[in-house]
Amino acid sequence: MTATTERPAPHTPSRPPVPAYKTSRRAKRRSKAIATNKPSTLGYVFLVVVILASLFPLYWSFLIGSGDSSTINSQDVDWMPGGNFLSNAAKVVNDPSVNFWKALSNSIIVSTVVSASVVFFSTLAGYAFAKLKFRGSKGLLIFVIATMAVPTQLGIVPLFIAMSQWLGLSGNILAVILPALVSAFGVFWMTQYLSQTLPDELIEAARVDGASMIRTFWHVGVPAARPAAAMLALFIFIATWTNFFWPFIILDSNNPTLPVALSLLQNNFFIDYSIVLAGVLLSTIPLLILFVVAGKQLVSGIMQGAVKG
Amino acid sequence: MTTQSLAEDREIRRITLSHKLNRWDMKVSPYLYVSPFFILFILTGLFPLLYTAYVSVFDWHIIGGQGDFAGSGNFEWVLGQDKFWVALRNSFSIFLISAIPQVILALIIAAILDQNLRAKTFWRMGVLVPYVVAPVAVALIFSNMFGDQYGLVNNALGRIGIDPVGWHSQVLPSHFAIATMVNFRWTGYNALIFLAAMQAVPRDYYEAAMLDGANRIRQFFSITIPSLRPTLIFVIITSTIGGLQIFDEPRMYDTTGAGGASSQWLTITMYIYNLGFGPAGGGQFGRAAAAAWLLFLIIIVVGLINLAATRTIATSGSRSSK
């Protein structure tokens, strides 16, 4: 064997010598796997488990929320949902002390107004920070970013004094809206996005053509900001919808947002989880629908925001 | 000749006027664009922060308003309370039990999502579903699953012959249950943040490592983790801030919201809430403000320690790979 393989005569053009580090077949396969970066079956299995774990609590709340108070106390879990979801949901909706419809409309109003306002002010400021030259811009931007690290709870006592005692807004959803009208995160987000995606030449071209600053912002900046604005709106909408701490302090049972209403539900039916969890699902369904419609945007938004994180 | 020079003159004057307007526009506009943000931000964000410091050095009550100057009295009072220290312990315990598994799990999920999967968007959206569930809702669901008597978890444990755990009555089990809620909501979110950073790592690095004979695990620790350094710092700092000020989940973990019969899961933020707004003994704004400042200082210290730790870990990893 060796004789036949080591035949190359000095005169015949030989194949290049086989390198000493020639990869084994296993390594070859591995290299191919890395080149194409193919996942193993195990990876899929793991992801399926993760997603089942993500969905399970929601299914569980449907399971309990569609049963009656007796199912919860039985030792054997019936994994098929019962038929009482609608009647349980009706109990939540009709409970006078929970004010469900009021809570739903409040959540919609607060989340919509807050996300519209944050997007508008963030685009305006982000455009200036990203594309316009002015004295002190760097320092101001660093200041904005630094405040993101300060917990909101630090200012909760003065905020309460201001809203309830100075402005008389206790129990009014304006007290939830006003402190949320601007967001340091939003400005940071827009600045990042516009400084990466909007070419300076585009702005210069508009300026050379004689457009004023505001016209340039409107016709060049705003269209460029649109994708980031959509993502920011989604983020802020979800964050406002799920926010609890401050609304819980400043609002009361007559005029709650959905999370505040949920907390009331627990006080009322402290044993009957079938009604509590039906309420949980009711308050989550609007966001789930939003997620199905716009989840793609949200995913890409999270991934984009992280690159510079 | 003269007419021509006159026309030229007028032309120049017009240019200078519009030029002047233009320069003024350029100078003033940026400030106009950022000022609405800063005005609102100072009024609703910055002012409360600074005013907290003022409130914290006075005897200040919800009914009586501003009282006598107390100096460091409120701080000393808070630091002298056993409940404050119990709450501090609980906050740290819950934070550690949630943050560490969460970051590790998120890294693993991200590493799998980083592969060339079929139906990428589906998987990414799938892991993000819990993010749209409000923390209050999460707390209600898990509080039910971790029921002490008939809860799903204890039922399942009973099947495999383990005695029921007092998820609400005992300290560590209650922390575990609350940490599970936090992990449920945030693991997928952080996984996507890690995924974004992973996709920015040049694939040549992996090919080179592969030629050197490094297996996948080795590549993960020697290439992926060091490349993720800024993102790791970001995630760890944000989860420190979020973890140490946790409120929604422990507040809604039982029907009373008091943090357990013997403050088993009372957190610092719950303590602040109770001082300021709680049904019994609330309205002590000076003390609540002092406790809020203490929490802020603790978060800063822990954040800096985490920053230093993350830097060392990630840097030593990158050195060995180069």
Side-chain angles (χ1 to χ4, degrees), chain A residues 56 58-68 70-72 74 76-85 88, chain B residues 152:
Chain A
F56 179 75
L58 288 176
Y59 181 69
W60 178 255
S61 50
F62 182 58
L63 212 59
I64 301 293
S66 63
D68 54 45
S70 70
T71 40
I72 180 83
S74 66
D76 287 303
V77 180
D78 184 2
W79 291 105
M80 291 312 287
N84 295 329
F85 181 72
N88 286 336
Chain B
L152 172 74

Side-chain angles (χ1 to χ4, degrees), chain B residues 118-315:
Chain B
R118 246 173 275 164
K120 275 182 195 137
T121 317
F122 169 78
W123 299 111
R124 290 177 188 174
M125 279 176 70
V127 299
L128 195 62
V129 169
Y131 178 66
V132 300
V133 186
V136 170
V138 175
L140 293 173
I141 298 171
F142 279 81
S143 161
N144 172 259
M145 297 204 303
F146 282 101
D148 280 9
Q149 264 146 42
Y150 304 104
L152 172 74
V153 179
N154 272 348
N155 265 351
L157 289 178
R159 288 277 151 88
I160 52 173
I162 296 174
D163 287 337
V165 178
W167 297 111
H168 283 77
S169 58
Q170 290 173 287
V171 175
L172 215 54
S174 70
H175 294 182
F176 181 84
I178 292 166
T180 309
M181 302 173 195
V182 180
N183 292 340
F184 167 74
R185 187 154 190 264
W186 289 105
T187 305
Y189 181 91
N190 284 332
L192 290 183
I193 291 186
F194 284 137
L195 173 61
M198 283 180 190
Q199 299 207 317
V201 181
R203 297 287 143 170
D204 320 7
Y205 289 9
Y206 294 105
E207 274 163 34
M210 199 255 334
L211 282 179
D212 287 348
N215 63 20
R216 277 208 167 155
I217 309 270
R218 180 71 209 273
Q219 289 172 30
F220 181 76
F221 283 106
S222 300
I223 300 174
T224 311
I225 296 284
S227 313
L228 292 187
R229 203 178 90 159
T231 314
L232 264 175
I233 292 174
F234 170 79
V235 166
I236 288 175
I237 295 293
T238 50
S239 59
T240 308
I241 295 171
L244 288 181
Q245 51 177 330
I246 185 168
F247 175 82
D248 301 6
E249 291 90 346
R251 178 69 181 48
M252 298 310 298
Y253 187 48
D254 73 354
T255 52
T256 64
S262 51
S263 309
Q264 300 98 301
W265 66 88
L266 180 83
T267 63
I268 295 274
T269 306
M270 288 172 79
Y271 181 70
I272 294 171
Y273 172 84
N274 288 340
L275 282 180
F277 313 97
Q284 308 176 58
F285 281 174
R287 288 167 177 176
W293 264 104
L294 288 172
L295 173 62
F296 178 50
L297 294 179
I298 291 165
I299 288 176
I300 288 181
V301 171
V302 177
L304 288 177
I305 293 173
N306 279 344
L307 187 66
T310 320
R311 278 218 167 120
T312 342
I313 293 168
T315 315

